[in-house]
Amino acid sequence: MVLKIVCDQISIPTYTRDIVNLSMFAIQKGLRGLYHMTNSGYASRYEVARYFLERLEMDNLILPVGSSHFPTPAQRPYFSAMSNHKLSDALNVAIPDWKLGIERYIEAMFEKKEP
């Protein structure tokens, strides 16, 4: 199967469990204010898809395409990655990279279930 994935939209994929864990930690610490809660690093949708399929050892052909390949009524920004440095500093934690989030997601979704 050939997949066409947008390569000119950059953001930060964020693992839901990291959002939950960081939110709970921030609440426990009594943190107040406005913070961006994302994983670390950034990537295009194409890079994320490639990484995900590589980790699953799938051999799909993935073609990078521009945003214009998928016209939508809403205009999407080319770069929408937010910085998590303020949150990381306030909680004194290293926030995991998006790649680690994907690896942990795959592990959780495909772990062997005991009978």
Side-chain angles (χ1 to χ4, degrees):
M1 171 188 274
V2 176
L3 301 171
K4 295 178 182 177
I5 308 291
V6 173
C7 65
D8 58 2
Q9 292 179 20
I10 310 293
S11 63
I12 307 170
T14 301
Y15 186 36
T16 304
R17 286 189 182 175
D18 288 337
I19 292 173
V20 170
N21 292 338
L22 286 167
S23 295
M24 296 304 296
F25 189 49
I27 290 168
Q28 291 169 357
K29 292 288 188 180
L31 196 62
R32 295 188 172 275
L34 180 63
Y35 297 86
H36 296 298
M37 192 170 292
T38 67
N39 279 115
S40 296
Y42 56 85
S44 71
R45 294 174 189 258
Y46 168 75
E47 291 170 308
V48 172
R50 268 191 54 200
Y51 189 77
F52 186 77
L53 292 177
E54 284 173 7
R55 301 312 287 170
L56 290 176
E57 298 179 358
M58 296 177 73
D59 61 356
N60 295 67
L61 177 60
I62 304 176
L63 300 176
V65 297
S67 296
S68 61
H69 191 77
F70 299 105
T72 61
Q75 293 219 342
R76 305 278 182 223
Y78 290 114
F79 189 86
S80 61
M82 298 179 288
S83 173
N84 63 18
H85 293 294
K86 180 180 172 185
L87 180 63
S88 178
D89 291 346
L91 295 176
N92 195 31
V93 297
I95 299 175
D97 188 82
W98 65 268
K99 287 181 180 180
L100 182 57
I102 286 178
E103 290 172 16
R104 289 182 294 135
Y105 171 77
I106 290 170
E107 183 179 301
M109 292 305 297
F110 299 101
E111 67 186 17
K112 293 181 182 175
K113 307 278 188 219
E114 297 284 328

